[in-house]
Amino acid sequence: MGVGITVEQLNAFYGKTQALFDINLNVLANHATALIGPSGCGKSTFIRCLNRMHETIPDARVEGKVRIGEFAVYNGTSATQLRRRVGMVFQKPNPFPTMSIYDNVAAGLKLNGFRNRKQLDEIVEKSLHSSALWDEVKDSLHKKSGASLSGGQQQRLCIARALAVQPEVLLMDEPCSALDPISTGKIEELIFQLKEQYTIVIVTHNMQQAARVAEFTGFFLLGKMIEFDKTEKVFTNPSDKRTEDYVTGRFG
Ligand SMILES: Nc1ncnc2c1ncn2[C@@H]1O[C@H](COP(=O)(O)OP(=O)(O)OP(=O)(O)O)[C@@H](O)[C@H]1O
Ligand SMILES: [Mg+2]
């Protein structure tokens, strides 16, 4: 089952530049939450704070509290332990280029000491089905490398890789920006199914997509979360004028 995410007074910095200001947010377990907002407003920074990737950037730091279920993210606990529970899919697909398709998907499990070949086979197949890639790669699992796939296929491979370790939370940063409409549709269907098991946070520039997949939506602007509410409310009857301008395309 997925778990909820609680964010309290989160501030994030790149050196002296502050990128996020006092973010407070409760993400409901087993739902999808969309984050929208113009380029550069801090959406990627925010989700990188949820799995402690932000602090891996030189001079970057985070203040505030994040909880993933019962797990306090910034509390001296190990980032490795955390990332087992929080899968992430990035804007730009990043498969392990020289590894086979199979090994890409199995990588996380193997890293965690998982060795049962039959079970590995099953999980790899299931994960590739879930990410809508199976039919295209089932005959070349061991023959083709991650780098030999198209951009959209690489993205679906990365989704399969994230799902294989069965995280509780799945963070997706514009996962469909490199995909054609058919693959995008498949990923959206997938998000629907995944909610039963996972908690999903998805960054998207596609407002129709947010409306289709997410029950809740947060609107970011200049490092602040301006509005957070049920998706329908954000898109049809937002409380803040800035949200309204953005969702109606009058922004800028
Ligand atoms: N590695 C970095 N070093 C320094 N500043 C950064 C870094 N990454 C992002 N920033 C800055 O932080 C701010 C927020 O960037 P972020 O990537 O979070 O925006 P975003 O909302 O994800 O934008 P986009 O929609 O274009 O992906 C921007 O001003 C950006 O220049
Ligand atoms: Mg981004």
Side-chain angles (χ1 to χ4, degrees), residues 40 42-45 48 91 173-174 203 205:
K43 306 178 297 296
S44 295
T45 303
R48 286 198 299 262
Q91 190 166 357
D173 193 350
E174 298 187 48
V203 173
H205 279 287

Side-chain angles (χ1 to χ4, degrees), residues 52 55 71-82:
R52 288 184 58 175
E55 70 202 52
F71 195 85
V73 170
Y74 291 101
N75 189 15
T77 35
S78 105
T80 318
Q81 215 182 343
L82 172 74

